[in-house]
Amino acid sequence: MSKKRYLFYISQNYSYAILRPLQKIILARGDEVRWFLMGDQVADKFLKSTEQRLLTIEETIRWQPHAVFVPGNVVPSFIPGVKVAVFHGFDSGKVDSLGRSDHFNIRDCFDLYCTQGPESTEPFQRLAKKHGTFKVVETGWPTLDPLFKPDDSMIKKRDDRPVILFCSTFSPRFSCAEVVYDKVKQLSQDSQWRWIVQFHPKMNRDIVEKYKQLENDNLSFVETDDVLPLLKEADVMLCDTSSVLIMFLLQGKPVVTFNNKTNWSHLLNVNDVKDLEIAIEQALGRPSELLDNIQRYCTRIHPNRDGCSSERVLAATDELIDNGLIGLKCKPLNIFRNLKMRKILGYWKL
């Protein structure tokens, strides 16, 4: 039986950690993986020496992948293989000025959406029925497989102090990083807690540099392509609307949010900087009502916590590879988007 070929099409550094659990399963069963890095926001320095990269779009097309996995929003239609959306994060409730969630925006690029749990599956199933051009399978998110499998090597606590992980989104409209800076600075000068600060890779560099200058015995600033070890190490997260807070909640750990507009009962939200310290103390106390609310929420978001989402993603993908796109309508031509992607990639062959 010939080997299957799977392409990982990525455009952000955090995509490495998203797809590596999937790569581990693919390689273990004897199939092949290649990486294609698109754009200037993804760095090849994060590729491991054992990982194989396709350098050009021509080389990628010649490789003839059976499937293309994308932790992003778009992928060129002229790359061979079934196109599989595995998402770059969860729907954290952010909406645009018209009240629309970008998480459920159909761009006519994918044949299969591998959803994380009922909260995302049900809307995508309705969209699949409406459009008729893609399938939806609830698999869980392969990114989280290492989070749900015992691995003490991921937890590297320096001491017995509670650890507060501060994460923030890059969007000025939603980010709290600038607003809470002085408070984090003040709290980090007290040794009762240890702080880890990790921001979205698109965060404004001026803000990044400000927080780097706060580093001391109580606060570390971390730039990484894999946030999972930080999630395991921390006891409480401070955040705003970044979807990484959902990954943290799935461990059953509390999150304190600043100026989060959702009013969700599984979050400890504050709207005034002076209330942050009290909220963090409350979260560290792990109140039972809050933990119950977190558990109910996580059941809707990502009920599969067996660490086997990668296997389910591959099973759903292989079914599509083996049986073809039976029952699906042809996608709209989407001429403008396809021309734009051809221009970006410099590829004009038919």
Side-chain angles (χ1 to χ4, degrees), residues 14-133:
Y14 53 67
S15 297
Y16 288 109
I18 290 175
L19 292 177
R20 278 186 177 131
L22 197 56
Q23 175 179 245
K24 181 178 179 180
I25 302 301
I26 292 171
L27 297 179
R29 69 183 200 179
D31 291 323
E32 298 182 30
V33 171
R34 297 290 186 275
W35 297 76
F36 181 80
L37 281 53
M38 201 288 291
D40 58 6
Q41 294 185 27
V42 58
D44 61 3
K45 68 180 181 180
F46 293 112
L47 269 177
K48 297 179 180 178
S49 59
T50 55
E51 293 173 332
Q52 299 186 61
R53 175 186 178 186
L54 297 169
L55 293 173
T56 67
I57 194 66
E58 290 84 359
E59 186 182 6
T60 301
I61 291 171
R62 284 197 303 271
W63 193 60
Q64 290 288 303
H66 292 97
V68 185
F69 291 106
V70 187
N73 296 326
V74 295
V75 61
S77 61
F78 49 83
I79 295 178
V82 298
K83 313 301 189 300
V84 184
V86 291
F87 301 100
H88 63 268
F90 289 91
D91 176 23
S92 59
K94 288 185 283 190
V95 295
D96 62 19
S97 58
L98 298 177
R100 300 173 301 192
S101 171
D102 187 63
H103 194 76
F104 301 105
N105 190 356
I106 302 302
R107 297 174 175 87
D108 301 313
C109 290
F110 297 105
D111 305 304
L112 172 66
Y113 285 87
C114 290
T115 53
Q116 298 146 335
E119 197 74 15
S120 58
T121 304
E122 292 163 11
F124 273 109
Q125 285 176 334
R126 290 192 291 270
L127 290 165
K129 186 175 182 180
K130 174 183 175 181
H131 292 269
T133 58

Side-chain angles (χ1 to χ4, degrees), residues 22 25 41 44 68 80 91 97 102 107 124-125 159 165 193 205 219 223 228 244 255 266 289 295 317-318 347-348:
L22 197 56
I25 302 301
Q41 294 185 27
D44 61 3
V68 185
D91 176 23
S97 58
D102 187 63
R107 297 174 175 87
F124 273 109
Q125 285 176 334
D159 51 51
L165 173 61
W193 303 329
R205 295 309 301 179
L219 185 146
E223 292 184 283
L228 293 188
V244 72
V255 175
H266 54 271
E289 182 179 356
Q295 180 58 40
T317 301
D318 287 346
Y347 185 79
W348 300 105

